[in-house]
């Protein structure tokens, strides 16, 4: 277990103590050998439901079904995979990796099938296009998100030349908050969800809660969009006929001007990652990922403004108390839930990121499930069930738990051998597509799981197997059927443990199937790779050093070595790197799997001001030997945290830092070279006197960016007294409020 160091920092009155937990900087991540293992786990479900694996796929982002029952699976790295006839086809239908940016949260993010697929074979993809031959973030020419139409042939191949770009020029500003879902509505039009880009378009110092881009109608960020199948715009879109309106997503280029984008259908969204239509209706729900406090579900309404970044959930941005009626013109969510710790009856403990959503088709499951909305949380690994009663009353309960962190990225109902199932994608366990079936009174299959110790070593290799992790959802006793993969006889046991000696050198796959007392066997066998006569390689990260304290935006180089007892020193082609930005219980991708050595990586900035004490970077190096045996090691990289003490003269006045108000003096934690956007409200009344802002000690404007230096520093806002607010001060106040 990795030791953890916890620090407490006084950051702001609203969060008097910000708990900062980061890995002990002196501890290298433990090495973990990897192989072709399949260790099945099962969600905890109500009686009459079962959870099974469909197939293993790395980084599965989205799902769609063709009318003939083929399942299309997109991966973040750019592949469209086809699952047909009960198997995942070996050859991808399409691989867009050469034209994508996949760093941060970019990549191939969404897929939809044309309602008239039988006659036109059209499929639609949402992906991040490397338009300017750079995947850098927060630059002028950033990668863009686009929607394209392709032809899927009956032989499960998509010809790249069949691409027709329908919607283009959506800036992926900071690499995150891309949205990326797309579905056809009952009107035959294509609806697309787009995030706010993470950082403000044109001002990369204003990110997270400071990002106002979703409030602009002249860009497609932070929006629900609606287009025709050919990319043209429905004339009844809300801003189609507005003065100066433009087709902003025109593949030929963004038209000049600052008028509203004709594609916009609804606005004021932070990261509407997934949405879903209720079958047979025009109703759709939008899952909007929250910032600091609330996750929300919005009902799709033409022309609606859901309030971000003025609002988050049913409250003001970053508040749990300022939760009155929304400002005029804004629409509250139909449901929201708070991050992290909640009252004990709440099912949302530890939940922080709403992801998948799907409506149960009437008649697909139990009658009580008809038209229920199932939604998931990526961090706490749960699926919830929402029903809406008379008068719009909403009831929510936990449906499936124990899916694991980084799970339930997307939900979609579709056909299965046992009727209709709820399919979901998960990044957990190396990446899977799984499904939940309604079994009714039927006997539910057991789930196989086991460990093997050791899984590598010299011949003869004596391996101990333990299947204590296997389970039966109906509580039946189990029998264990072992196959060791070396040609030896199958062994059946009534106890969960056994052993086997591998007398020959080679790579073998041990597998386990379990059978319950009523004769039903596990749907999938659990497997483990066994290397007899071979040992795993030993990778070492040599740079950056664990003693490094990086600054925001610092260029880093990932370097390492690997040796193997059988192969000797491994070449750079045997090394693969990843990088993650951790934040509390979840993480964000910084670098996708990248082969080689001396890999460049730009250090991130914190997600927002509270995240200064909770964000850190994890670098992972995987080495693979000539027999396919892998080992992964990780290293935690911590930021250089410095104090910025902010004063006012006279003391006790209020200043704002990155949108949060502080009473001075205040000590703000920051990262070196992270921009603090400081504002001195003016005029202010204190102790019966009126004070007008006069100057900042660094010479900056009343509202300006302060680039955090590499050492502790101080900043002072000086005010002058006045009997009444000056006209200039009143104008400043009005400007600030706007």
């Amino acid at each position: 277990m990795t030791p953890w160091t916890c620090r407490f920092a006084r950051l702001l009155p609203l969060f008097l103590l910000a708990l900062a937990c980061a890995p002990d900087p002196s501890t290298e991540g433990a090495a973990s050998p990897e192989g072709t293992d399949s260790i099945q786990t099962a969600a905890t479900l109500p009686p009459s439901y079962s959870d099974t694996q469909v197939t293993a796929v790395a980084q599965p982002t989205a799902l769609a079904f063709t009318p003939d029952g083929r399942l299309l699976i997109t991966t973040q790295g750019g592949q469209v995979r086809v699952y047909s006839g009960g198997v995942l086809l070996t050859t991808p239908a399409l691989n867009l990796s050469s034209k994508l940016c996949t760093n941060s949260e970019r990549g191939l993010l969404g897929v939809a099938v044309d309602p008239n697929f039988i006659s036109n074979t059209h499929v639609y993809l949402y992906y991040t296009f490397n338009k300017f031959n750079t995947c850098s973030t927060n630059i002028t020419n950033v990668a863009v998100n686009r929607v394209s139409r392709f032809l899927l042939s009956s032989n499960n191949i998509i010809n790249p030349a069949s691409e027709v770009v329908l919607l283009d020029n959506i800036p992926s500003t900071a690499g995150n908050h891309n949205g990326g879902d797309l579905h056809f509505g009952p009107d035959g039009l294509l609806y697309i969800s787009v995030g706010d880009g993470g950082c403000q378009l044109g001002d990369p110092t204003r990110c997270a809660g400071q990002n106002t881009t979703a409030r602009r109608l002249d860009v497609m960020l932070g929006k629900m969009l609606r287009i025709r199948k050919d990319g043209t715009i429905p004339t009844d879109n809300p801003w189609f006929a507005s003065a100066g309106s433009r087709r902003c997503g025109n593949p030929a280029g963004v038209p000049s001007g600052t008028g509203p984008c004709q594609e916009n259908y609804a606005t004021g969204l932070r990261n509407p990652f997934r949405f879903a239509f209720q079958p047979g209706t025009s109703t759709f729900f939008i899952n909007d990922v929250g910032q600091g406090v609330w996750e929300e579900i919005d009902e799709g309404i033409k022309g609606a403004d859901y309030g971000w970044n003025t609002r988050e959930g049913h409250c003001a941005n970053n508040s749990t108390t300022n939760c009155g009626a929304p400002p005029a013109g804004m629409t509250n969510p139909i449901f929201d839930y708070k991050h992290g710790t909640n009252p004990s009856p709440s099912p949302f403990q530890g939940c922080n990121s709403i992801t998948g959503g799907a409506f149960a088709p009437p008649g697909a499951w139990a009658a009580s499930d008809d038209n229920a909305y199932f939604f998931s949380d990526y961090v706490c690994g749960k699926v919830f069930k929402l029903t809406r009663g008379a008068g719009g009353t909403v009831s929510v309960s936990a449906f499936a738990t124990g899916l694991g962190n980084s799970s339930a990225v997307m939900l979609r109902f579709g056909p299965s051998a046992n009727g209709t199932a709820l399919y979901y994608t998960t990044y957990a366990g190396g990446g899977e597509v799984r499904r939940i079936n309604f079994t009714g009174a039927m006997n539910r299959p057991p789930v196989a799981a086991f460990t093997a110790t050791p899984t590598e070593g010299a011949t003869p290799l004596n391996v101990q197997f333990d299947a204590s992790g296997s389970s039966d959802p109906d509580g039946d006793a189990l029998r264990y059927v072992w196959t060791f993969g070396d040609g030896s006889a199958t062994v059946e046991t009534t106890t969960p443990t056994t052993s086997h000696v591998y007398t020959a050198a080679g790579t073998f796959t041990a597998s386990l199937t379990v059978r319950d007392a009523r004769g039903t066997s596990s749907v999938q066998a659990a497997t483990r790779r066994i290397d007899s006569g071979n040992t795993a390689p030993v990778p070492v990260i040599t740079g950056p050093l664990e003693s490094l304290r990086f600054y925001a935006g610092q260029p880093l180089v990932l370097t390492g070595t690997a040796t193997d007892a059988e192969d000797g020193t491994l070449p750079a082609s045997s090394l693969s790197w990843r990088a993650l930005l951790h934040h509390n219980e979840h993480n964000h991708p910084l670098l996708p799997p990248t082969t080689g050595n001396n890999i460049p990586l730009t250090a991130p900035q914190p997600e927002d001001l509270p995240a200064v004490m909770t964000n850190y970077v994890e670098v992972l190096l995987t080495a693979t030997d000539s027999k396919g045996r892998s080992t992964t090691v990780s290293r935690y990289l911590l930021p250089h945290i410095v104090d910025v003490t902010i004063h006012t003269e006279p003391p006790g006045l209020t200043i704002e830092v990155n949108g949060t108000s502080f009473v001075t003096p205040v000590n703000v934690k920051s990262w070196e070279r992270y921009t603090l956007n400081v504002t001195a409200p003016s005029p202010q009344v204190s102790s019966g006197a009126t004070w007008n802002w006069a100057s900042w000690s660094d010479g900056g404007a009343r509202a300006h960016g302060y680039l955090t230096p590499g050492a502790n520093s101080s900043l002072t806002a000086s005010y002058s007294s006045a009997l009444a607010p000056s006209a200039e001060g009143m104008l400043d106040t009005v400007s600030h409020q706007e």
Side-chain angles (χ1 to χ4, degrees):
M1 179 177 292
T2 303
W4 295 82
T5 299
C6 292
R7 299 185 299 272
F8 290 88
R10 186 173 296 274
L11 285 181
L12 57 148
L14 182 60
F15 301 101
L16 291 179
L17 292 176
L19 174 62
C21 290
D24 189 312
S26 65
T27 302
E28 189 80 8
S32 59
E34 299 177 351
T36 57
D37 304 336
S38 172
I39 308 171
Q40 185 177 342
T41 58
T44 300
L45 294 161
S48 302
Y49 300 85
S50 65
D51 173 71
T52 56
Q53 183 196 65
V54 176
T55 187
V57 180
Q59 297 183 300
T61 49
L63 305 171
F65 285 92
T66 61
D68 55 12
R70 287 177 287 175
L71 172 60
L72 307 184
I73 307 166
T74 59
T75 71
Q76 187 174 351
Q79 293 186 350
V80 179
R81 304 297 302 272
V82 177
Y83 182 86
S84 180
V87 297
L88 181 70
L89 303 188
T90 303
T91 303
L94 178 68
N95 190 344
L96 292 173
S97 59
S98 63
K99 63 192 302 182
L100 297 192
C101 286
T102 57
N103 57 319
S104 188
E105 297 171 6
R106 295 164 165 169
L108 176 53
L109 304 177
V111 57
V113 172
D114 196 291
N116 298 320
F117 177 83
I118 294 297
S119 60
N120 61 30
T121 71
H122 288 166
V123 296
Y124 302 77
L125 301 176
Y126 182 112
Y127 65 90
T128 311
F129 176 46
N130 187 357
K131 186 171 185 176
F132 300 102
N133 199 32
T134 176
C135 293
S136 298
T137 58
N138 290 319
I139 59 175
T140 301
N141 290 326
V142 294
V144 300
N145 288 310
R146 59 163 43 165
V147 175
S148 289
R149 187 182 72 212
F150 295 84
L151 297 176
L152 172 63
S153 68
S154 58
N155 64 354
N156 298 308
I157 296 297
I158 296 174
N159 184 350
S162 70
E163 180 177 17
V164 177
V165 179
L166 306 180
L167 186 66
D168 208 354
N169 315 313
I170 306 172
S172 179
T173 316
N176 58 348
H177 299 189
N178 296 288
D181 208 6
L182 59 167
H183 297 274
F184 278 94
D187 52 10
L189 300 174
L190 186 60
Y191 292 70
I192 303 119
S193 65
V194 182
D196 69 1
C199 291
Q200 189 159 303
L201 193 63
D203 185 356
T205 72
R206 296 187 175 275
C207 304
Q210 299 180 83
N211 181 4
T212 63
T213 309
R215 310 234 46 77
R216 295 172 51 179
L217 291 176
D218 63 327
V219 294
M220 296 179 288
L221 296 172
K223 309 293 190 297
M224 288 297 307
L225 311 178
R226 186 175 71 158
I227 61 174
R228 295 192 181 101
K229 293 181 184 182
D230 60 359
T232 59
I233 317 300
T235 57
D236 64 337
N237 271 10
W239 292 278
F240 181 87
S242 298
S245 67
R246 304 165 299 141
R247 184 186 172 190
C248 298
N250 191 333
V254 181
S256 60
T258 58
C261 296
Q262 296 174 344
E263 295 90 342
N264 293 344
Y265 185 81
T267 186
L269 294 160
R270 178 182 176 272
N271 188 18
F273 185 65
R274 294 289 178 254
F275 69 99
F277 277 91
Q278 181 178 343
T281 75
S282 60
T283 296
F284 68 97
F285 287 175
I286 307 164
N287 292 353
D288 196 14
V289 183
Q291 178 60 48
V293 182
W294 299 99
E295 301 297 306
E296 67 182 73
I297 298 174
D298 299 298
E299 183 166 5
I301 300 173
K302 181 179 177 180
D305 176 0
Y306 300 107
W308 177 255
N309 70 334
T310 301
R311 306 278 287 182
E312 182 188 12
H314 70 289
C315 301
N317 187 359
N318 202 36
S319 178
T320 59
T321 56
N322 184 2
C323 303
M330 295 185 186
T331 299
N332 266 355
I334 64 164
F335 180 75
D336 57 11
Y337 61 92
K338 191 176 74 66
H339 289 181
T341 303
N342 285 280
S344 56
S346 169
F348 296 102
Q349 300 295 341
C351 299
N352 287 282
S353 181
I354 191 169
T355 44
F359 283 93
W365 280 3
S368 59
D369 295 327
D370 287 355
N371 295 313
Y373 184 65
F374 292 85
F375 64 95
S376 57
D377 189 283
Y378 177 82
V379 174
C380 63
K382 297 179 181 179
V383 175
F384 304 92
K385 176 182 174 180
L386 180 152
T387 56
R388 189 158 57 163
T393 57
V394 168
S395 175
V396 176
S397 60
F399 173 73
T401 61
L403 279 64
N405 187 276
S406 306
S407 63
V409 175
M410 182 176 191
L411 308 181
R412 183 184 285 271
F413 278 90
S416 76
N418 298 318
T420 300
L422 176 61
Y423 290 74
Y424 66 92
T425 63
T426 173
Y427 276 39
E432 293 179 289
V433 177
R434 301 184 68 87
R435 65 180 166 224
I436 298 173
N437 277 97
F438 176 66
T439 59
M442 295 170 53
N443 180 38
R444 293 180 290 177
V447 176
F450 72 97
T451 61
T453 309
T455 59
E456 57 171 305
T459 305
L461 184 65
N462 188 356
V463 181
Q464 306 298 313
F465 296 96
D466 187 345
S468 299
S470 300
S471 61
D472 184 83
D474 303 309
D476 293 342
L478 295 177
R479 297 183 70 89
Y480 306 87
V481 181
W482 303 90
T483 302
F484 302 112
D486 60 350
S488 59
T490 297
V491 173
E492 182 170 331
T493 64
T494 56
T495 58
T497 59
T498 190
S499 63
H500 182 73
V501 177
Y502 290 85
T503 58
T507 298
F508 308 103
T509 299
S511 65
L512 169 69
T513 299
V514 292
R515 187 173 65 249
D516 67 18
R518 288 178 273 183
T520 300
S521 296
S522 49
V523 177
Q524 290 96 23
T527 62
R528 295 287 291 182
R529 172 178 170 146
I530 307 295
D531 283 76
S532 177
N534 181 46
T535 56
V538 180
V540 176
I541 297 172
T542 57
L545 298 175
E546 59 186 357
S547 60
L548 172 74
R549 296 296 178 266
F550 65 80
Y551 59 80
Q554 180 174 354
L556 305 174
V557 179
L558 309 183
T559 60
T561 62
T563 57
D564 183 79
E566 292 76 29
D567 297 341
T569 301
L570 297 182
S573 58
S574 296
L575 306 181
S576 179
W577 297 86
R578 290 190 300 133
L580 305 171
L581 175 63
H582 284 266
H583 184 197
N584 296 329
E585 298 88 1
H586 66 283
N587 60 67
H588 304 272
L590 282 181
L591 179 74
T594 303
T595 300
N597 207 356
N598 303 313
I599 304 299
L601 175 70
T602 301
Q605 64 180 8
E607 292 182 75
D608 53 24
L609 194 60
V612 162
M613 299 299 289
T614 57
N615 277 155
Y616 61 92
V617 172
E618 182 181 9
V619 172
L620 300 100
L621 170 61
T622 299
T624 305
D625 68 16
S626 61
K627 292 182 172 62
R629 185 82 186 190
S630 297
T631 304
T632 297
V633 294
S634 68
R635 174 171 291 177
Y636 298 110
L637 304 180
L638 305 184
H640 183 205
I641 297 175
V642 296
D643 294 332
V644 178
T645 305
I646 303 180
H647 303 269
T648 56
E649 185 56 48
L653 300 182
T654 298
I655 55 90
E656 293 183 1
V657 182
N658 288 17
T660 299
S661 294
F662 298 84
V663 175
T664 61
V666 62
N667 179 48
V668 175
K669 300 288 184 182
S670 185
W671 290 8
E672 180 182 356
R673 299 201 187 182
Y674 176 49
T675 298
L676 299 176
N677 291 303
V678 296
T679 301
S682 182
Q684 296 189 53
V685 177
S686 177
S687 301
T690 299
W691 301 92
N692 293 317
W693 173 79
S695 65
W696 280 102
S697 57
D698 66 343
R702 187 179 66 83
H704 71 286
Y706 177 73
L707 188 64
T708 304
N712 296 342
S713 63
S714 63
L715 190 62
T716 300
S718 297
Y719 283 75
S720 60
S721 62
L723 293 178
S726 67
E728 180 181 0
M730 293 176 67
L731 289 174
D732 279 345
T733 301
V734 171
S735 174
H736 172 64
Q737 291 173 343
E738 292 177 344

